[in-house]
Amino acid sequence: MSDKILMKGNEALAEAAIRAGCRCFFGYPITPQTQLPEYMAKKMPKIGGTFLQSESEIAAINMVLGASAAGVRAMTSSSSPGISLKAEGISYLAGSDLPAVIVNIQRGGPGLGGIQPSQADYWQATRGLAHGDFRVLSLAPAGIQEAVDLMGTAFDLADKYRMPVMILGDGIIGQMMEPVRLPDPVTELPEKPWAAKGTRGARKHNILNSLYIQPEELERVVRERYERYAEVEKNEVRVETWLAEDADIIVTAYGSTARICRNAIRAARADGIKVGMVRPITLWPFPSAAYAEAAAHAKGFLDVEMSMGQMIDDVRLAIGCSRPVRFFGRTGGVVPTPAEIRAEIDALCKEVL
Amino acid sequence: MSVVFKKPDALCDVTMHYCPGCTHGIVHRLVAEVIDELGICGKTVGVAPVGCAVFAYNYFECDMIEAAHGRAPAVATGVKRANPANVVFTYQGDGDLAAIGTAETVHAATRGENITVIFINNTIYGMTSGQMAPTSLPGQVTTTSPYGRDPKLAGYPIRVCEMLATLSGTAYCERVSVDCVKNVIQAKKAIKKAFENQIAGKGFSLVEVLSTCPSNWGLTPIEALERLRRDMIPYYPLGVYCDRDAFAEVEAK
Ligand SMILES: Cc1ncc(C[n+]2csc(CCOP(=O)(O)OP(=O)(O)O)c2C)c(N)n1
Ligand code: SF4
Ligand SMILES: [Mg+2]
């Protein structure tokens, strides 16, 4: 563990990835994540790794696929429009059971949208990423230290379950500076007997493939993959609950929005309102149990997002619509303020208390 | 008794799915013979395309990866950068390499990516049953150019070797044909050179193989070879378009 140093989110993510054993980075510039590839461009050549600026995000994700198939820890990063281009490759990664880490520092959309922070890619990250039956494990840090810690987790989980893992940040996480402690570099990486790095004449050839022309065969492979996803759902849910035990009102948000909510919750508590928070850290698997628990005593939920309301679907599903779920969102790159959220808490209190 | 003919070791002992008379099988054999002769099967990684050769991953004894349509050069780049000691090749059709994967092809070439590309130009989309390819000849009838390819509507065919030869990262590109014994022998020489270049670290090497698709051309295998000679070779002249060490100049400095 390093001493505390001040780092920008994008750069801290890059350094954490290198410390997690990432040796191949492929990417294409896009605001607001560009400092991540720039950091990689500086650092990778010095440590015998690869930084390559690809011709497009499509090429970048397929280079990641190649490097991952070759058994190396590989990643790419981008922002919303670029993630849409990576969708095809992510589906192929999932279909070929290949690990990879993909960072999305979200900006406003749709289309070219804007360049300010957003959380409008939640649906994309948790369900509609690309064609086919598959899942991506999504991690949503709410600060730079957590982003650094989750980067190691992301690579470990990607290898363990042989699946793509996404770090879903936003422009605030990417651009903000905070003091962080960096983990020590990993010294041991998992064996990958399935990798395509040459048979050396010592084994049958390895094939990394997503094509199964017989329907029954494809169904079997997809079902096996879903058994692995069930393990992920059982073992890898990460969530923070805060002041939730006695709460009448639960504010829920992920990523940097959760940080803003904290201020509003403190202010409401100071005024004697029993408010708490549920903050998903894994967006898939979604921490449904934490919501169900909170719903046992809470009278209402306030879901806050930098979008028109996407995670709210999962919140409602988690509590089986047993409590009112109020929504407050700003979108297009507009960041909600603590005062706005505080006002929403008051409005919800009027509704349910 | 001496063996005069046998299956190359680098080819798997399985039945291939290619149509009778299709030249994909010949090119597979040439690639496998070269891998055997260079003794590199144990360190070779192949990347299969989306196209009729999609099942190539079942046909070569080396480690294999199946890429998305057109993305084989990007996948090969990832493999080669991760483990430069591996010999990495892609095997791609014209739709894969010169339509949907044009960007990946051109940029792998201009980066001088140290990989070997086997490019099967059969002027048609074989796998999807005969649509127009970027290499379909003017006037060629396909299911999506039913009145013949009209350059005014559908543009002109891409001459891949000529185009890539203009890029400094391209070490070697040669167009060959597999329509007769003489040309098959030359094709093998070219493929061997494309692998040797990679081992020598010279940069991007590509061999374009003029091939047939009797099934979708609606011709017998013999007629298909005749069409290749009569119509394709004049439009796509055989020969070496570029042969150099892509990095000799920078290394000299
Ligand atoms: C993204 C995507 N678009 C389209 C297809 C359908 N498709 C499969 S193979 C192919 C064309 C293959 O033609 P070519 O590359 O010339 O190879 P050939 O079959 O002629 O050897 C197409 C369009 C696909 N699989 N994926
Ligand atoms: S469709 Fe054409 S290219 Fe494909 S296997 Fe048959 S003859 Fe060969
Ligand atoms: Mg073709």
Side-chain angles (χ1 to χ4, degrees):
Chain A
M1 190 86 75
S2 76
D3 290 339
K4 271 204 167 175
I5 48 173
L6 193 63
M7 281 188 102
K8 189 178 255 228
N10 283 331
E11 295 179 343
L13 279 164
E15 179 58 35
I18 289 171
R19 286 169 184 245
C22 175
R23 284 299 173 272
C24 283
F25 179 94
F26 306 97
Y28 188 87
I30 183 170
T31 307
Q33 62 81 52
T34 300
Q35 298 83 15
L36 203 166
E38 284 171 347
Y39 190 94
M40 290 294 194
K42 257 188 253 152
K43 203 73 187 273
M44 280 296 195
K46 303 259 188 252
I47 57 162
T50 294
F51 164 83
L52 197 162
Q53 181 171 321
S54 59
E55 59 271 29
S56 69
E57 288 86 352
I58 298 177
I61 192 74
N62 283 287
M63 290 172 186
V64 167
L65 185 145
S68 168
V72 169
R73 283 193 162 178
M75 73 174 285
T76 183
S77 69
S78 189
S79 179
S80 311
I83 298 295
S84 294
L85 280 186
K86 290 185 199 294
E88 178 198 58
I90 295 172
S91 173
Y92 277 74
L93 282 162
S96 312
D97 296 313
L98 286 170
V101 173
I102 300 118
V103 175
N104 181 2
I105 301 296
Q106 299 168 88
R107 58 189 249 181
L112 199 48
I115 56 168
Q116 296 301 324
S118 162
Q119 296 181 315
D121 302 347
Y122 178 93
W123 281 335
Q124 187 191 43
T126 58
R127 15 176 97 58
L129 227 167
H131 65 285
D133 277 323
F134 78 96
R135 286 293 193 180
V136 168
L137 206 159
S138 304
L139 301 165
I144 312 304
Q145 184 65 56
E146 191 173 45
V148 162
D149 297 341
L150 287 178
M151 186 51 94
T153 309
F155 276 103
D156 289 343
L157 295 180
D159 279 347
K160 180 171 176 195
Y161 296 102
R162 286 183 64 179
M163 66 187 293
V165 174
M166 179 172 282
I167 297 212
L168 193 67
D170 56 59
I172 299 176
I173 296 291
Q175 297 299 323
M176 175 168 70
M177 289 186 89
E178 280 189 320
V180 287
R181 281 184 204 285
L182 296 162
D184 293 331
V186 294
T187 48
E188 244 175 88
L189 292 173
E191 290 286 317
K192 296 182 176 174
W194 45 262
K197 43 186 170 187
T199 63
R200 284 166 218 285
R203 56 163 169 77
K204 243 179 80 67
H205 63 171
N206 284 337
I207 299 174
L208 284 310
N209 169 48
S210 63
L211 176 67
Y212 297 88
I213 211 77
Q214 298 298 335
E216 293 76 13
E217 176 79 351
L218 179 55
E219 185 186 51
R220 182 184 61 74
V221 171
V222 171
R223 280 190 192 283
E224 277 173 16
R225 200 168 290 132
Y226 269 70
E227 283 167 23
R228 231 176 320 132
Y229 294 160
E231 287 297 302
V232 174
E233 288 184 286
K234 202 168 80 196
N235 303 328
E236 307 302 344
V237 171
R238 286 165 170 75
V239 59
E240 184 199 3
T241 54
W242 181 58
L243 308 176
E245 303 77 44
D246 66 337
D248 294 327
I249 302 288
I250 293 289
V251 175
T252 185
Y254 72 94
S256 52
T257 307
R259 301 263 294 246
I260 303 164
C261 289
R262 246 177 241 274
N263 294 334
I265 291 169
R266 272 197 206 98
R269 278 269 170 186
D271 292 344
I273 310 170
K274 287 187 184 166
V275 194
M277 179 157 76
V278 175
R279 175 176 74 90
I281 299 169
T282 48
L283 303 180
W284 190 86
F286 194 69
S288 300
Y291 288 90
E293 250 168 61
H297 51 80
K299 314 251 176 347
F301 288 72
L302 172 64
D303 172 70
V304 186
E305 301 179 46
M306 285 190 283
S307 76
M308 291 303 288
Q310 301 192 6
M311 185 176 81
I312 191 167
D313 291 358
D314 283 333
V315 176
R316 288 198 173 115
L317 281 171
I319 61 168
C321 295
S322 61
R323 296 282 180 278
V325 183
R326 190 182 172 89
F327 176 70
F328 179 68
R330 298 300 304 264
T331 197
V334 183
V335 178
T337 65
E340 287 173 324
I341 297 165
R342 178 62 220 277
E344 289 295 318
I345 293 172
D346 290 344
L348 180 60
C349 287
K350 280 209 190 89
E351 227 180 276
V352 299
L353 293 187
Chain B
M1 221 166 56
S2 66
V3 177
V4 290
F5 190 81
K6 72 177 188 63
K7 178 189 77 60
D9 291 338
L11 271 191
C12 301
D13 195 4
V14 294
T15 309
M16 289 184 185
H17 71 285
Y18 297 111
C19 305
C22 174
T23 47
H24 266 302
I26 299 175
V27 184
H28 276 35
R29 185 182 170 96
L30 297 182
V31 171
E33 284 180 1
V34 165
I35 290 174
D36 282 359
E37 285 169 22
L38 296 174
I40 53 171
C41 192
K43 61 171 178 177
T44 297
V45 178
V47 184
V50 177
C52 276
V54 68
F55 293 120
Y57 56 76
N58 285 329
Y59 302 153
F60 290 102
E61 286 285 0
C62 57
D63 282 349
M64 294 294 295
I65 302 167
E66 201 282 301
H69 196 19
R71 318 297 177 220
V75 172
T77 296
V79 177
K80 188 71 183 181
R81 296 292 180 115
N83 295 321
N86 284 143
V87 175
V88 184
F89 77 93
T90 72
Y91 184 106
Q92 304 174 254
D94 39 64
D96 196 82
L97 181 139
I100 196 167
T102 311
E104 285 78 0
T105 304
V106 167
H107 284 272
T110 202
R111 282 194 306 269
E113 209 61 58
N114 194 28
I115 59 172
T116 301
V117 174
I118 310 300
F119 167 38
I120 305 298
N121 180 357
N122 58 10
T123 70
I124 203 150
Y125 283 11
M127 190 194 207
T128 43
S129 304
Q131 296 77 30
M132 190 185 75
T135 49
S136 292
L137 296 174
Q140 186 176 336
V141 173
T142 72
T143 62
T144 51
S145 56
Y147 309 112
R149 180 178 188 161
D150 177 356
K152 278 191 170 160
L153 294 173
Y156 290 97
I158 294 185
R159 292 187 177 96
V160 169
C161 280
E162 288 84 334
M163 176 176 74
L164 295 182
T166 66
L167 303 172
S168 304
T170 306
Y172 171 62
C173 54
E174 177 167 354
R175 185 178 292 121
V176 298
S177 164
V178 286
D179 64 294
C180 63
V181 175
K182 177 174 154 278
N183 282 342
V184 169
I185 292 168
Q186 182 53 34
K188 181 171 166 186
K189 275 194 195 140
I191 291 170
K192 191 162 188 179
K193 182 160 175 143
F195 276 90
E196 285 169 342
N197 280 351
Q198 181 181 163
I199 294 164
K202 287 188 178 171
F204 185 85
S205 292
L206 176 143
V207 179
E208 174 175 346
V209 186
L210 299 186
S211 299
T212 65
C213 176
S215 299
N216 290 302
W217 291 358
L219 300 175
T220 65
I222 305 270
E223 289 166 346
L225 293 171
E226 279 161 8
R227 173 187 182 257
L228 190 163
R229 278 190 287 271
R230 186 187 63 237
D231 297 344
M232 285 172 70
I233 293 181
Y235 202 93
Y236 296 113
L238 305 184
V240 178
Y241 286 84
C242 162
D243 183 4
R244 62 193 165 209
D245 183 333
F247 299 106
E249 257 177 60
V250 266
E251 263 153 25
K253 274 184 194 157

